[in-house]
């Protein structure tokens, strides 16, 4: 009931005026309507057969066009709008290039048959769909704290689709399991998700204290995975070892895997030691891949064309991120996200932080977490850990509520959709609630702090 009250008050609060915000002007109302309609089109893409990137890109750009028109008509100074857009472009560019490099590496690994080999090794051992379901989920949970949730979800969803391309009873629960596991695994590590990284860099909790979230994240994922596994077939993929040609990694594939690890490490080092954006380390890793492809062709006459791999990237996913981040940035400029954090004073930190998990599934966890950090409510460290966890894990409640979910939607186009996810959303909600219970036991009953 409290959570429902939070969402209701949040909806009402968005229409209230607050100082110099623009939420009650015609442009504020118009932009909110554009956002709602755009999100509706994204959520129902399978019904209207429209690619989700198209409405996302339209609402993301049109919102700022409307704001520009409003400023021009009223003769207002547009310097604040310009600064906001410049900052937003920088934020989007960092994410855009980060994703571009990650997806390029994945395409190269596909071309070098790394995932086909992994599929052969898994399926040739006679693993059932259920065992494959648990293996991919476990890998996602324990890789994401190091590699970040988006990269992990992209890699594991690629493995998933190479194992099976048609059996939706395996693919849909398997995709949800990977998204939930990647987000849960990223929630207890400063490197695992953008929200945890933001909280750590803002010094809301020491590095090691994020590990306190491991029990809540792990048990929440386990419950969701177990509930999902009940609908996964018990039989095995059709695979006859005697008739199948053994698949091996092509020349250079293992080196590319090593370069991928180096790229991830360089991204982490750039952020933590050199105070450079992680994207810088990722692009540095791309340069290493291109240099290696040159050397491979010169010495071994083996073609490894990274430009062709870049051309195979699902660019709709990148443009979807551009549209969503731009749209949410526009709402933030208008004052909507700043109004939301005022609920802390009236409802209390625990109630609002739980509600933020649901909000992050709808709006996107990055700008929500950014708004909380900018408002900087007076909270204890356990509350900062709670909002970090709920913002990260809450994104799993809806297919496009997290970067991992959007990435998997792009990889499993037409299979892992908003509608397919919502059929199993109750399993994700059950895990989310269990994570909250575990957090409450740790910090409120056992009083770890």
């Amino acid at each position: 009931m409290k959570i429902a009250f939070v969402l209701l008050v949040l909806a009402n609060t968005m229409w209230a005026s607050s100082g110099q915000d623009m939420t009650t002007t015609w442009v504020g109302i118009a932009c909110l309507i554009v956002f709602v309609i755009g999100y509706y089109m994204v959520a129902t893409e399978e019904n209207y057969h429209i690619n989700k990137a198209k409405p996302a890109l339209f609402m993301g750009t049109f919102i700022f066009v409307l704001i520009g028109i409003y400023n021009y008509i009223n003769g207002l100074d547009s310097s604040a709008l310009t600064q906001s857009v410049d900052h937003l472009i920088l934020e989007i560019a960092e994410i855009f290039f980060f994703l571009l490099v990650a997806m390029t590496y994945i395409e190269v690994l596909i071309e070098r048959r790394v995932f086909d080999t992994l599929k052969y090794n898994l399926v040739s051992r006679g693993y059932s769909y259920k065992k494959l379901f648990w293996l991919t989920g476990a890998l996602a949970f324990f890789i994401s704290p190091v590699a970040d949730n988006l990269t992990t979800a992209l890699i594991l969803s690629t493995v998933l689709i190479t194992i099976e391309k048609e059996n939706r009873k395996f693919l849909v629960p398997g995709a949800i399991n990977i998204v939930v596991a990647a987000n849960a695994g990223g929630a207890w590590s400063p490197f695992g998700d953008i929200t945890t990284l933001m909280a750590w860099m803002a010094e809301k909790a020491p590095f090691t204290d994020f590990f306190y979230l491991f029990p809540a994240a792990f048990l929440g994922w386990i419950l969701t995975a177990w509930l999902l596994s009940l609908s996964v077939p018990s039989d095995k993929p059709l695979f006859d070892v005697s008739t199948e040609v053994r698949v091996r990694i092509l020349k250079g594939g293992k080196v590319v895997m090593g370069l991928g690890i180096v790229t991830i490490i360089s991204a982490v080092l750039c952020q933590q030691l050199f105070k450079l954006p992680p994207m810088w380390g990722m692009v540095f890793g791309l340069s290493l891949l291109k240099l290696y492809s040159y050397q491979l062709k010169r010495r071994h006459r083996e073609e490894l064309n990274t430009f062709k791999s870049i051309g195979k990237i699902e660019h709709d996913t990148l443009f979807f991120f551009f549209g969503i981040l731009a749209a949410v940035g526009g709402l933030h400029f208008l004052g909507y996200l700043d109004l939301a954090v005022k609920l802390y004073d009236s409802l209390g930190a625990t109630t609002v932080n739980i509600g933020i998990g649901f909000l992050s599934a709808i709006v996107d966890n990055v700008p929500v977490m950014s708004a909380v950090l900018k408002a900087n409510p007076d909270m204890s460290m356990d509350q900062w850990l709670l909002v970090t966890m709920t913002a990260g894990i809450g994104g799993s409640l809806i297919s496009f509520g997290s970067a991992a979910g959007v990435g998997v939607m792009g990889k499993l186009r037409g299979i892992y959709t908003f509608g397919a996810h919502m059929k199993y959303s109750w399993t994700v909600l059950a895990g989310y609630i269990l994570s909250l219970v575990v957090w409450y036991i740790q910090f409120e009953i056992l009083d770890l702090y």
Side-chain angles (χ1 to χ4, degrees):
M1 290 299 293
K2 283 187 175 181
I3 296 173
F5 181 62
V6 170
L7 298 178
L8 179 61
V9 172
L10 176 58
N12 291 331
T13 303
M14 282 186 169
W15 296 94
S17 178
S18 176
Q20 298 179 348
D21 73 80
M22 302 165 66
T23 55
T24 56
T25 63
W26 69 262
V27 70
I29 297 173
C31 288
L32 185 61
I33 293 173
V34 169
F35 183 81
V36 171
I37 295 176
Y39 246 102
Y40 171 77
M41 297 300 293
V42 168
T44 57
E45 64 168 332
E46 58 203 86
N47 296 334
Y48 296 97
H49 304 289
I50 183 173
N51 188 295
K52 63 182 179 295
K54 295 177 181 178
L57 198 59
F58 173 78
M59 67 177 177
T61 53
F62 189 50
I63 285 176
F64 276 100
V65 170
L66 287 175
I67 297 173
I69 293 173
Y70 176 83
N71 285 349
Y72 178 79
I73 292 175
N74 292 279
L76 301 177
D77 183 11
S78 295
S79 58
L81 177 63
T82 302
Q83 292 175 3
S84 178
V85 171
D86 287 343
H87 179 77
L88 188 61
I89 290 173
L90 178 61
E91 177 186 343
I92 292 175
E94 290 182 4
I95 297 176
F96 195 94
F97 281 106
F98 188 100
L99 295 178
L100 181 68
V101 176
M103 296 169 80
T104 300
Y105 263 99
I106 289 173
E107 291 298 334
V108 174
L109 291 174
I110 291 174
E111 188 272 332
R112 292 289 92 185
R113 309 199 73 177
V114 171
F115 297 116
D116 286 335
T117 304
L118 178 58
K119 168 199 169 183
Y120 180 90
N121 292 335
L122 288 174
V123 181
S124 63
R125 296 179 183 180
Y127 292 155
S128 65
Y129 282 121
K130 281 189 181 292
K131 192 162 188 178
L132 292 169
F133 168 88
W134 281 105
L135 280 172
T136 53
L139 287 171
F141 183 86
F142 288 104
I143 293 176
S144 61
V146 178
D148 86 69
N149 54 355
L150 174 60
T151 304
T152 301
L154 287 173
I155 292 174
L156 269 300
S157 61
T158 302
V159 173
L160 200 70
I161 199 67
T162 55
I163 292 175
E164 176 60 62
K165 290 182 172 61
E166 297 181 358
N167 192 337
R168 290 174 178 264
K169 291 185 178 179
F170 165 68
L171 288 174
V172 174
I176 298 173
N177 187 34
I178 287 173
V179 172
V180 174
N183 286 335
W188 58 274
S189 166
F191 302 143
D193 194 355
I194 296 177
T195 55
T196 55
L197 182 62
M198 290 167 62
W200 178 53
M201 294 300 292
E203 299 182 348
K204 298 305 179 183
F207 182 90
T208 55
D209 284 26
F210 284 93
F211 298 153
Y212 281 112
L213 295 175
F214 176 83
F218 179 74
L219 293 175
W221 163 65
I222 284 292
L223 176 59
T224 296
W226 177 72
L227 293 173
L228 287 170
S229 69
L230 299 178
S231 59
V232 176
S234 300
D235 55 333
K236 301 177 181 179
L238 295 177
F239 190 85
D240 188 351
V241 179
S242 61
T243 60
E244 291 285 342
V245 178
R246 180 176 178 82
V247 181
R248 297 182 183 276
I249 298 176
L250 298 181
K251 191 173 187 64
K254 293 182 180 179
V255 176
V256 173
M257 293 171 62
L259 289 175
I261 295 174
V262 171
T263 299
I264 293 172
I265 293 174
S266 66
V268 173
L269 291 178
C270 280
Q271 173 70 37
Q272 305 308 318
L273 299 183
F274 313 139
K275 306 306 178 184
L276 295 171
M279 170 274 296
W280 210 260
M282 294 294 288
V283 177
F284 170 71
L286 179 62
S287 71
L288 297 179
L289 178 62
K290 287 182 174 294
L291 290 173
Y292 175 69
S293 66
Y294 169 79
Q295 185 238 18
L296 191 66
K297 185 176 182 180
R298 290 266 299 183
R299 292 189 177 183
H300 304 285
R301 299 180 183 275
E302 187 77 16
E303 186 72 20
L304 183 63
N305 196 325
T306 53
F307 288 105
K308 288 183 179 179
S309 298
I310 292 174
K312 293 179 181 178
I313 287 175
E314 180 56 71
H315 290 92
D316 286 338
T317 300
L318 297 175
F319 283 116
F320 173 80
F321 273 110
F322 180 98
I324 291 299
L325 289 173
V328 175
L331 295 184
H332 185 270
F333 179 82
L334 291 167
Y336 285 111
L337 297 184
D338 291 332
L339 290 175
V341 297
K342 294 184 178 181
L343 293 170
Y344 279 99
D345 294 334
S346 58
L347 298 177
T350 301
T351 303
V352 176
N353 287 338
I354 292 174
I356 279 176
F358 292 91
L359 183 63
S360 67
I362 302 171
V363 177
D364 184 77
N365 55 1
V366 174
V368 171
M369 190 64 181
S370 176
V372 174
L373 289 171
K374 288 178 181 177
N376 197 26
D378 185 16
M379 297 193 298
S380 58
M381 194 178 300
D382 59 317
Q383 289 293 337
W384 281 109
L385 290 176
L386 174 62
V387 71
T388 300
M389 181 185 74
T390 56
I393 297 179
S396 303
L397 292 168
I398 294 179
S399 59
F400 53 80
S402 67
V406 174
V408 176
M409 286 177 74
K411 279 294 175 184
L412 277 67
R413 179 172 300 281
I415 297 174
Y416 177 58
T417 62
F418 174 81
H421 182 98
M422 292 308 293
K423 291 179 181 178
Y424 296 94
S425 60
W426 64 273
T427 64
V428 185
L429 178 60
Y432 179 76
I433 293 173
L434 179 59
S435 295
L436 295 176
V437 171
V438 174
W439 173 89
Y440 184 81
I441 293 174
Q442 283 183 274
F443 296 102
E444 299 297 327
I445 297 179
L446 299 180
D447 193 20
L448 292 181
Y449 274 95

